[in-house]
Amino acid sequence: MKVAEETAGSLDELGRTGWWAVGGRRVRVTNLDKVLFPGPPALTKRDVIRYYAEVAPYLLPYLTGRPVNAHRYPDGVGSPGFWHKEVPEHAPEWLTRWHNTEADEDETQCYAVLDSVPALVWMANFAGVELHPWTSRLPDVHAPTWALVDIDPGDTTTFADIVELARLFRTALAHLGVAGMPKVTGKRGVQIWIPVRDGYTFDDTRSWVEKVSRVVGRVRPELVSWEWYRDRRGGLARLDYTQNAINKTLVAPFSIRPLPHAPVSVPVRWAELDDPRLRPDRWTVGTVLDRLREKGDPLAPLIGRQQELPPL
């Protein structure tokens, strides 16, 4: 992180717009003093760019080799954002791209692959506040590298309910001898990321996660709805296994979330589910780097693990 921090310091020497030498590239950065997060404290585009440059050593392992869907907020998170997937014509030629040869005419043809600090800086300057990488890696985008559990809260779900459900997944995975790690989303929920070996399809991972989720749901049925539409769930949580599909994505670890105080999605240790101080939005742009310096990333050792999913 030291190199990124030293480089980030030079960002403060720029005016409102300029060229920033970072990671061996010169990246044009613009409107640096524009407020993107009203706070408190208010955060400018300069702050967002600095954060992504500094967190890059921890974030890039989750992005490298993967197409990314970006949630952009060029007018700040107080205004509606929008999903952006297609690489714009003005993107620098050094930006890694992936051309989806299977795309229909009305679908995204060319995705950005954020595999360097300059690429992260470019995307942050493009107001790509929130980053969602694909679950699969290039070149085989049909082969997932993670099986994902998304504990999606309903309108009446408390965070205590979410934590209880996450603990049940902890018990289930331990019983099965399967390694995984929880991640607070930065909003209201918890996700569980489970690494898988090469050779699985999305049908495989979706089916496996559904079976585990159905067992968890039977333990506390009063907390869970299986309805697809939120307005039919009666305010209950959904154990969403359907995110295990090509081009369905969850927010990246250490991505910012588009809320006023700039919370961050953060992997946590299983034991932290028992910490009464845990909140889904506990860490922000201003605090998560201190946590990383002190505790590191508990999910990092699972990246790329060739893990068999036991038959159920």
Side-chain angles (χ1 to χ4, degrees), residues 36-59:
L36 295 184
F37 290 82
L43 296 177
T44 64
K45 191 198 277 192
R46 189 191 309 267
D47 297 319
V48 171
I49 291 171
R50 181 190 298 108
Y51 168 75
Y52 274 121
E54 290 182 348
V55 83
Y58 297 96
L59 172 57

Side-chain angles (χ1 to χ4, degrees), residues 147-167:
L148 303 172
V149 177
D150 185 13
I151 307 176
D152 185 22
D155 295 336
T156 63
T157 307
T158 66
F159 187 59
D161 295 335
I162 294 294
V163 167
E164 182 170 354
L165 291 168
R167 288 173 179 154

Side-chain angles (χ1 to χ4, degrees), residues 63 70 114 190 215:
L63 302 180
L114 305 181
V190 169
V215 171

Side-chain angles (χ1 to χ4, degrees), residues 19-49:
W19 291 90
W20 188 26
V22 59
R25 301 284 186 186
R26 293 180 73 244
V27 185
R28 181 168 172 79
V29 288
T30 58
N31 299 319
L32 291 173
D33 297 324
K34 182 170 187 175
V35 174
L36 295 184
F37 290 82
L43 296 177
T44 64
K45 191 198 277 192
R46 189 191 309 267
D47 297 319
V48 171
I49 291 171

